[in-house]
Amino acid sequence: MLFNFLPYIQIVLSCLLGIAILLQQRGAGISGVFGGGDEGYHTRRGMEKILFVSTIVLAFLFLLSAFLALLK
């Protein structure tokens, strides 16, 4: 039963993951690690933290759904 809805679940997850990635703050790249940014360390708060955690959760769920599609 789950395998019938798996392609639709993957489409929804991929769209949500793409939106979550695009909504991330632009200056939050890895350039600060290599000396490219002068921003320094900052703590994620509020909506930024919720978006960060939800991106990780969506990526994990998409990975899980892709693995389930392999088992089909």
Side-chain angles (χ1 to χ4, degrees):
M1 174 95 175
L2 175 72
F3 292 114
N4 294 336
F5 294 108
L6 195 57
Y8 302 111
I9 293 171
Q10 284 183 319
I11 290 171
V12 170
L13 283 174
S14 65
C15 290
L16 290 175
L17 183 60
I19 290 169
I21 289 171
L22 289 174
L23 286 176
Q24 297 283 326
Q25 191 177 22
R26 293 209 183 257
I30 198 166
S31 64
V33 174
F34 300 112
D38 293 325
E39 296 177 11
Y41 179 77
H42 74 283
T43 306
R44 289 182 172 88
R45 296 182 182 165
M47 190 62 183
E48 184 182 10
K49 185 174 182 177
I50 292 170
L51 192 60
F52 179 73
V53 172
S54 64
T55 304
I56 293 172
V57 169
L58 285 170
F60 176 74
L61 290 174
F62 184 74
L63 206 75
L64 186 66
S65 68
F67 181 69
L68 286 174
L70 286 175
L71 294 177
K72 183 180 177 183

